[in-house]
Every structure is written in C-alpha cells, then in structure tokens.
Amino acid sequence: MSENADDQAGWRLTVDSARCVSSGFCVGSAPEHFTMEQVARPSADVVAPADAVLEAADFCPVEAISVFDARTGAQIAPKR
C-alpha cells in the first residue's frame, strides 16, 4: 500500500484473537471483510464503511471485533 493507511477514508478493523471463539458470525455476515483461519481476522487493514461490518462487530458473541475510524482513531463499534 503506497498511501499511509491513516490518511485513507474508511474503517480500521481489529479482531482480538484471544477473545475470538470462532463462531463465524463475522464471516457469515460480512464475508468480504473477514476471513476465518483458526480465528477470525480482517481481510484488509482499512475497509470502506459498510453496515455488514457494524453488524459483525455489534453481534460478535464475545465482542472480539472493533471498528475504528481510520483517520481519527475513534471507535465506531461495538456500541458501548
């Protein structure tokens, strides 16, 4: 990636691998944004905003997924 990710519009996704229980909800609800190996992981460092990403973060059974504004670092999901 030639541009600094922090300069890009979009969302940064993280998955806490210690919390992830591999339910697969994130992959099922947002397959273009998450992959499953032993645990879930984002498919890209920065993604375009999408309702499916918010759904995956908000409904993760162990709140392992976090969504942040790539420019500001503000947490968008899960809702606290």
Side-chain angles (χ1 to χ4, degrees):
M1 182 178 342
S2 60
E3 294 182 56
N4 181 342
D6 291 331
D7 292 336
Q8 297 178 5
W11 293 344
R12 183 176 309 284
L13 309 180
T14 64
V15 176
D16 182 340
S17 60
R19 294 184 82 167
C20 180
V21 295
S22 303
S23 72
F25 181 82
C26 58
V27 177
S29 64
E32 61 280 358
H33 298 291
F34 295 95
T35 61
M36 183 69 69
E37 293 176 3
Q38 291 182 9
V39 295
R41 68 178 183 83
S43 56
D45 290 335
V46 177
V47 302
D51 288 340
V53 171
L54 296 178
E55 183 176 301
D58 287 336
F59 293 104
C60 175
V62 294
E63 295 187 346
I65 299 168
S66 296
V67 181
F68 300 93
D69 183 292
R71 288 187 181 171
T72 68
Q75 186 168 348
I76 298 167
K79 295 176 183 163
R80 303 274 177 201

